[in-house]
Amino acid sequence: MRIMLLLMIGSLVAPLLGAVEVREFDDLEKQTRYEHLLKEVRCLVCQNQTLGDSDAELAKDLRDEIYSMIQSGQSEEEAISFLTDRYGDFVLYRPPFKSVTWLLWVGPVLFILAGGSIAFWPKRDKQRQANPKELTDEERLELDRLKRRID
Amino acid sequence: MKIRFLIPLAVFLVMTAFLAIGLKLDPREVPSPLIGKEAPKFSLTDVMDASKAMSTYDLKGDAVLVNVWASWCVSCRQEHPILIDLAKRGEVTIYGINYKDTREEAQKWLRSYGNPYHSSAFDPNGHTGIDWGVYGVPETFVLDKQGVIRHKHTGPLTQAVIEDELLPIIRKLRGEP
């Protein structure tokens, strides 16, 4: 029973251990830079994974490249431009605001505005009810007659 | 009829349009930032002959195809007969970049299935592949006479891709100075 439990826990933990290799840095600041970067970049092979999570061969190679860049003292921006020069802005989870990406950034706001304007558009029917047209003399007589009937 | 009743219809049509576009898009097809730029430099060796150097300089002079392939790549096997056929027609020179492979395996592969390449650069650690923005072999690049990347096709080639996509570009590039 205990062995079964250990195996079950092991099977849960194993994938977490297997995915990404352990890196050693001579500087803690470099390690944070490296780890932050891996969360900002998409893996091109498994597009819904970050570069840090992906087990793809290419992701591993790119981690190697980034590791040696960061280790040699290069900045996060330099590593990012290394990647975007080759793979385009698509690899970034937060692409820069450009002529080709503006719709991506502004789109949600436009949708909210469009939805909001439909929801809060002044309703013409109710307006009409609030300001009824003046009754004609004939109609007023008819109204009085009806009111009297109720009394 | 009141305009309000048309709103659900309009919403439906907009959504249908978005979904229809979404269906046609291929998320694997990532636009390459290298198009319009000079092919990233490499200096490697010929996969068939370790003593023979091969570099980006060899790719200049004519509009050519550069096909990234590997012996472990299943889709490369699939597109291979099409490349062989294209090479036989002699309309365009095909170069190869042998990506993350071993020399033995690559040579064996070319011997058993045929070699459509004028020559293939041997890139065992994949550095050149990364420089060229390769993320899924096979990938095929079209280079103009100056060695500038003008087009990229990701994924296996088909007869239709060759006829309708690559050859028209090649012919157009031939006409350029």
Side-chain angles (χ1 to χ4, degrees):
Chain A
M1 192 58 205
R2 203 171 289 170
I3 295 172
M4 280 294 281
L5 205 69
L6 272 174
L7 281 175
M8 277 167 74
I9 294 170
S11 67
L12 289 174
V13 175
L16 300 175
L17 294 175
V20 178
E21 57 286 329
V22 179
R23 303 278 189 190
E24 278 179 30
F25 290 86
D26 49 23
D27 185 350
L28 193 66
E29 193 268 323
K30 283 179 184 170
Q31 182 159 5
T32 14
R33 207 188 295 167
Y34 174 78
E35 277 159 13
H36 177 250
L37 239 170
L38 293 194
K39 289 200 195 90
E40 290 288 317
V41 180
R42 181 200 303 274
C43 169
L44 280 133
V45 184
C46 320
Q47 295 181 349
N48 289 331
Q49 277 190 307
T50 66
L51 197 60
D53 284 336
S54 177
D55 213 7
E57 190 72 12
L58 177 68
K60 198 188 151 293
D61 289 351
L62 288 175
R63 283 199 295 270
D64 285 341
E65 295 281 343
I66 293 172
Y67 172 70
S68 50
M69 285 179 82
I70 297 292
Q71 186 69 305
S72 70
Q74 279 171 287
S75 70
E76 212 170 301
E77 287 73 40
E78 284 171 298
I80 291 273
S81 68
F82 172 87
L83 292 170
T84 51
D85 284 351
R86 288 159 179 77
Y87 296 100
D89 294 331
F90 180 76
V91 293
L92 300 177
Y93 278 111
R94 287 184 278 176
F97 195 90
K98 276 186 188 174
S99 59
V100 286
T101 57
W102 70 269
L103 191 59
L104 208 59
W105 286 101
V106 180
V109 180
L110 290 180
F111 273 108
I112 288 176
L113 287 180
S117 64
I118 291 171
F120 294 107
W121 205 259
K123 292 188 180 78
R124 255 174 267 145
D125 295 352
K126 281 192 183 150
Q127 260 180 343
R128 213 174 293 155
Q129 277 163 11
N131 313 303
K133 278 185 231 147
E134 290 292 307
L135 296 178
T136 60
D137 288 348
E138 211 171 298
E139 281 170 335
R140 191 163 304 147
L141 281 174
E142 175 75 1
L143 184 66
D144 287 345
R145 198 176 59 80
L146 286 170
K147 272 183 180 166
R148 246 176 281 134
R149 260 175 74 177
I150 297 167
D151 297 337
Chain B
M1 190 157 72
K2 290 204 175 93
I3 285 226
R4 301 206 313 170
F5 297 127
L6 289 175
I7 292 175
L9 181 67
V11 170
F12 170 75
L13 288 178
V14 168
M15 276 180 67
T16 312
F18 270 88
L19 292 173
I21 295 166
L23 260 184
K24 294 232 171 65
L25 289 178
D26 180 6
R28 311 252 84 202
E29 200 71 47
V30 179
S32 173
L34 294 168
I35 287 167
K37 299 207 177 97
E38 200 171 328
K41 290 207 162 40
F42 62 78
S43 81
L44 299 166
T45 59
D46 191 321
V47 77
M48 295 306 278
D49 182 358
S51 62
K52 205 171 131 205
M54 187 178 161
S55 73
T56 22
Y57 188 77
D58 296 309
L59 307 176
K60 287 183 189 171
D62 192 12
V64 296
L65 288 184
V66 179
N67 176 255
V68 186
W69 65 280
S71 69
W72 47 263
C73 153
V74 181
S75 319
C76 300
R77 177 77 193 84
Q78 183 193 329
E79 71 170 10
H80 201 69
I82 289 160
L83 280 174
I84 294 272
D85 186 49
L86 181 65
K88 271 192 196 135
R89 285 161 61 180
E91 199 169 339
V92 58
T93 312
I94 309 166
Y95 288 92
I97 293 176
N98 178 243
Y99 176 70
K100 298 201 76 168
D101 213 340
T102 65
R103 214 179 268 281
E104 299 71 51
E105 286 296 318
Q107 290 183 357
K108 207 167 85 190
W109 203 78
L110 291 179
R111 265 187 228 109
S112 31
Y113 302 122
N115 186 352
Y117 307 107
H118 178 276
S119 51
S120 281
F122 180 54
D123 177 31
N125 48 32
H127 280 298
T128 298
I130 288 179
D131 284 343
W132 283 57
V134 171
Y135 61 92
V137 270
E139 290 187 11
T140 307
F141 296 84
V142 181
L143 270 56
D144 68 12
K145 292 177 183 172
Q146 271 78 40
V148 172
I149 296 177
R150 299 294 288 267
H151 185 75
K152 175 182 175 180
H153 178 86
T154 311
L157 297 171
T158 60
Q159 203 63 46
V161 171
I162 299 264
E163 298 298 337
D164 306 333
E165 195 180 316
L166 302 185
L167 285 180
I169 297 172
I170 295 270
R171 288 184 197 121
K172 200 182 113 247
L173 294 180
R174 287 254 164 76
E176 289 179 4

